Amino acid sequence: MAFLVLVQGYALFVESLVSITQAALVAVVVGAGTAVSAYLLEYRIAAWSARRVTGETESHGGDGKSKS
């Protein structure tokens, strides 16, 4: 998304780097890449978060003291 913002800003102040069709194609590719990566990483992030929450509720080192 930052890339698209930079291209649009450059086009507004200097000259157009890409045509509107090319910009739309880049936006679709970036959107599809973001959607696919979010779908693929969702399970890993949820599992990591669950492990983290479970680990924080247990005693730290068995001494009964909180280390936060």
Side-chain angles (χ1 to χ4, degrees):
M1 295 301 269
F3 172 77
L4 297 174
V5 170
L6 290 173
V7 169
Q8 186 177 21
Y10 185 84
L12 286 172
F13 290 110
V14 182
E15 66 180 81
S16 181
L17 292 174
V18 294
S19 68
I20 191 70
T21 308
Q22 291 170 330
L25 180 62
V26 169
V28 167
V29 169
V30 168
T34 303
V36 168
S37 64
Y39 177 78
L40 294 175
L41 291 175
E42 179 182 13
Y43 175 75
R44 287 185 174 183
I45 292 172
W48 172 77
S49 179
R51 281 192 314 270
R52 185 173 175 200
V53 168
T54 304
E56 288 181 357
T57 59
E58 297 173 358
S59 177
H60 297 283
D63 60 0
K65 297 179 182 176
S66 175
K67 296 184 181 177
S68 17

